[in-house]
Amino acid sequence: MAGTTKRGTRARTAAATAVATVAATVWGVATVAAPAHGPGDGHRHENASRDKGAPPADPADPDGTDRVPDTIAHASEAGRDAVDITIDDGPDPAWTPKVLEVLRKHGAKATFCMIGPRARARPDLVKQVVADGNRLCDHTTDHDIRMGKKPVDYQKRQILDAQKMIEDAAGGGAKVGYYRAPGGAFTPESRALAAAAGMRPLGWNVDTKDFGKPGTAAIVNAFKKQLGNGPTVLFHDGGGNRAQTVEALDQVLPWISEQGRRTGFPVRTAP
C-alpha cells in the first residue's frame, strides 16, 4: 500500500513538473482545424507534430527505451507496412464485444481509447480487451472537445482520473500506454501531463468518419483512400449504433492482409 502511494505521488509530481516546464519540453506542433467528430466549435485541434530533434538523453535512461515523448504519435512501432487500428469512445456493452469478435476473426489487434467512467462501469470489457492482446488508451473522463480552452487543473483531472479508472478496471497491472484528446484537442500542457504519466499522445492519419454513420461502403472507401497518409486509423465502438463500423472492419481487415500488411500498435517511446 505504501509503495502504491509513493508511486502515485511520484506520478503527480512528475505531471506537475512537466506542466511547469512545458515551454521547454514542447518540440513543435502543427494544428488542423477539424475535430474527429462532434459539432464544430471554432477551436483549433492538434493532430500533427513536427519533432525538431530528440530531447536530451536522460542519464537514468540513456537509450531512451522508457522515455515517453510528449509529441503526438502517428507512426507504427511495427514499421511502415503496419496499420494501427484505434477504436474510440468505448467500452460499449453492445458494440465493443462485436469489435473484439471481428478483430479475433482476422487475427488483428487494436488500441482502444476508452472514456474513464465507461471503463469503470464495464471492467469485464476492459479486461477482455487486454486479454485479447490489445492496448489501452486514455480518452478522458467526459470527452470534452473544448477542454483545450479550459484550465490546466481541469485538463489534469480529465486525463489522470480517466487513466486510473481504466487501469483499475483492467486490473492485473495493465497500463494505459496512450492518451488521445477528445476531438484532437491537445494542448502543450495536456501532452506534457500525459507523457509524464507514461502515456504517449496519440493522433491519427486516417479518419474513416464512421462516427457519422455514412454507410459501410463510405467508411471502407475512406479507409482505403486515406491509408496513404499514414498507418494510424480512427474508428469508434461508442457513441451509438456502430453496426457500420463493425461491418467495415470485417471488410478492411482481410484487405490489409491481402496487401501484405498487418495490424500493429502506434509508437510509444522515443526512437
Side-chain angles (χ1 to χ4, degrees), residues 28-80:
V29 174
T31 59
V32 294
H37 56 75
D41 63 353
H43 181 70
R44 294 185 67 81
H45 300 265
E46 296 180 359
N47 181 34
S49 63
R50 296 193 182 97
D51 290 355
K52 295 181 179 178
D58 181 348
D61 179 29
D63 60 1
T65 54
D66 295 323
R67 185 172 60 245
V68 178
D70 66 0
T71 46
I72 303 171
H74 296 86
S76 176
E77 67 181 24
R80 296 180 60 181

Side-chain angles (χ1 to χ4, degrees), residues 1-266:
M1 192 68 182
T4 301
T5 302
K6 290 179 181 178
R7 286 194 297 273
T9 301
R10 286 197 297 269
R12 288 191 294 272
T13 301
T17 302
V19 172
T21 60
V22 67
T25 60
V26 175
W27 306 326
V29 174
T31 59
V32 294
H37 56 75
D41 63 353
H43 181 70
R44 294 185 67 81
H45 300 265
E46 296 180 359
N47 181 34
S49 63
R50 296 193 182 97
D51 290 355
K52 295 181 179 178
D58 181 348
D61 179 29
D63 60 1
T65 54
D66 295 323
R67 185 172 60 245
V68 178
D70 66 0
T71 46
I72 303 171
H74 296 86
S76 176
E77 67 181 24
R80 296 180 60 181
D81 290 336
V83 178
D84 299 336
I85 303 295
T86 66
I87 314 287
D88 281 21
D89 294 359
D92 181 273
W95 299 106
T96 303
K98 294 182 184 297
V99 169
L100 288 170
E101 182 180 355
V102 172
L103 291 171
R104 287 193 295 267
K105 174 182 175 181
H106 298 289
K109 307 297 181 186
T111 300
F112 285 76
C113 299
M114 297 183 175
I115 295 173
R118 296 180 187 175
R120 182 174 58 188
R122 293 305 304 261
D124 56 321
L125 294 179
V126 183
K127 288 178 172 65
Q128 189 60 58
V129 165
V130 174
D132 282 4
N134 303 293
R135 291 190 185 177
L136 299 172
C137 173
D138 178 339
H139 206 30
T140 73
T141 60
D142 294 313
H143 200 282
D144 181 358
I145 62 174
R146 293 176 174 84
M147 68 177 280
K149 289 188 171 183
K150 296 183 178 179
V152 173
D153 282 348
Y154 174 83
Q155 297 178 46
K156 179 179 180 180
R157 290 194 302 272
Q158 286 285 315
I159 297 167
L160 298 186
D161 287 358
Q163 180 188 27
K164 186 177 188 308
M165 291 177 193
I166 298 166
E167 290 183 348
D168 285 351
K175 297 298 180 184
V176 176
Y178 307 91
Y179 162 66
R180 174 171 280 165
F186 290 98
T187 65
E189 294 85 0
S190 69
R191 292 189 289 107
L193 279 163
M199 299 180 290
R200 179 73 183 265
L202 177 59
W204 62 87
N205 307 107
V206 178
D207 185 354
T208 64
K209 305 294 184 183
D210 69 319
F211 191 82
K213 305 170 190 171
T216 300
I219 297 170
V220 172
N221 288 338
F223 175 92
K224 293 180 179 180
K225 183 177 180 180
Q226 296 180 46
L227 196 55
N229 296 341
T232 304
V233 186
L234 177 63
F235 288 102
H236 296 82
D237 63 345
N241 188 311
R242 300 268 69 97
Q244 293 178 9
T245 298
V246 173
E247 293 168 2
L249 281 167
D250 201 25
Q251 293 183 31
V252 301
L253 290 173
W255 180 83
I256 290 170
S257 296
E258 291 168 4
Q259 307 304 305
R261 305 177 72 169
R262 64 194 186 283
T263 56
F265 297 112

